[in-house]
Amino acid sequence: MGTAGVPDERSVSDLTARARIRDVAIECFAEAGFGASFRAIAARAGVSPGLITHHFGSKAILRAECDAEVLRSYQVLKTEAIADPSAYLFARLTGPGVASTVVVYMLRAIHAGGEPARQFLDSLVDQARVVMAESVASGLARPSRDEEARLRYLTHQAMGAMLVRLVTSPGLTPDEFVASLHDAEGEAVLPILELYTEGLLTSRQMLDDYVEHLWEPPGRLPKDGSPSQTA
């Protein structure tokens, strides 16, 4: 996966048969889902199915290593957003080649469901935590009253929107899929930036009421045991 768009930070020792099989498996899983067979991966990698079994043992182990590599590549893409957020918005994440494979693989991983999907989403939230902290520190983003809840919501929202497009656009290659994201850019960028920059509601009353409810919910007794005056 050492194509333009993501710097290849791996050492020469990583460019082994095992790593090549993993990289080809990532491409196969992105294109065909996790139903892709060892035989199909082996044919594309130019090795025998037995060599894949020798290196990985099972598809679950192979997928776990693919997940880790995709998350590493995605972290590189996300880190670039801090230095150049506007240009990064679509040019990096939806670029052709390795970037498109990373994006579609992530969506396949989530769509597959189950515990691996939950763990994959948790890893995306962990990565978002670092980027968001840097964004807040740099003044790009506002701090949140509940940073963890915001991180999870934003991660699920971003991946969910792309997943909807993926499952409603069957048969596209990864490059074709990210090209469709570019086609939809005019539909999405303006409302996203409006919502994130200006907000949606014209009054902060609902937020103030909810925050008050969180800190002083009706019926909760204060520390001295007397009825709450704000209930």
Side-chain angles (χ1 to χ4, degrees), residues 3-181:
T3 59
V6 175
D8 194 344
E9 299 173 345
R10 295 168 294 176
S11 64
V12 173
S13 63
D14 186 42
L15 300 178
T16 61
R18 183 185 182 97
R20 289 198 303 273
I21 291 169
R22 178 202 62 208
D23 288 354
V24 168
I26 289 171
E27 295 173 0
C28 290
F29 290 150
E31 293 175 7
F34 293 102
S37 67
F38 274 10
R39 185 173 299 277
I41 296 168
R44 187 162 184 167
V47 300
S48 69
L51 186 62
I52 300 180
T53 303
H54 169 74
H55 279 298
F56 297 97
S58 69
K59 185 178 285 188
I61 295 174
L62 173 60
R63 178 182 169 179
E65 293 205 20
C66 290
D67 282 2
E69 175 62 12
V70 166
L71 288 166
R72 184 202 69 82
S73 298
Y74 182 62
Q75 180 61 34
V76 173
L77 291 166
K78 290 286 287 183
T79 301
E80 293 176 359
I82 300 300
D84 194 6
S86 295
Y88 166 84
L89 188 59
F90 276 91
R92 302 293 194 278
L93 193 56
T94 60
V98 64
S100 63
T101 299
V102 166
V103 170
V104 176
Y105 182 100
M106 292 193 301
L107 299 178
R108 299 279 193 198
I110 295 167
H111 187 246
E115 181 63 17
R118 187 193 66 77
Q119 292 179 359
F120 196 86
L121 275 168
D122 286 345
S123 295
L124 290 178
V125 173
D126 289 341
Q127 291 189 356
R129 183 180 299 110
V130 175
V131 175
M132 182 61 74
E134 294 177 359
S135 297
V136 171
S138 69
L140 178 64
R142 300 177 186 275
S144 172
R145 296 173 180 83
D146 189 339
E147 196 63 61
E148 289 300 308
R150 181 171 72 170
L151 284 170
R152 190 163 295 277
Y153 172 76
L154 289 175
T155 301
H156 290 187
Q157 182 188 57
M159 301 309 296
M162 287 194 291
L163 183 56
V164 167
R165 191 167 190 89
L166 180 69
V167 299
T168 56
S169 306
L172 298 181
T173 67
D175 281 352
E176 289 170 343
F177 174 72
V178 298
S180 76
L181 293 180

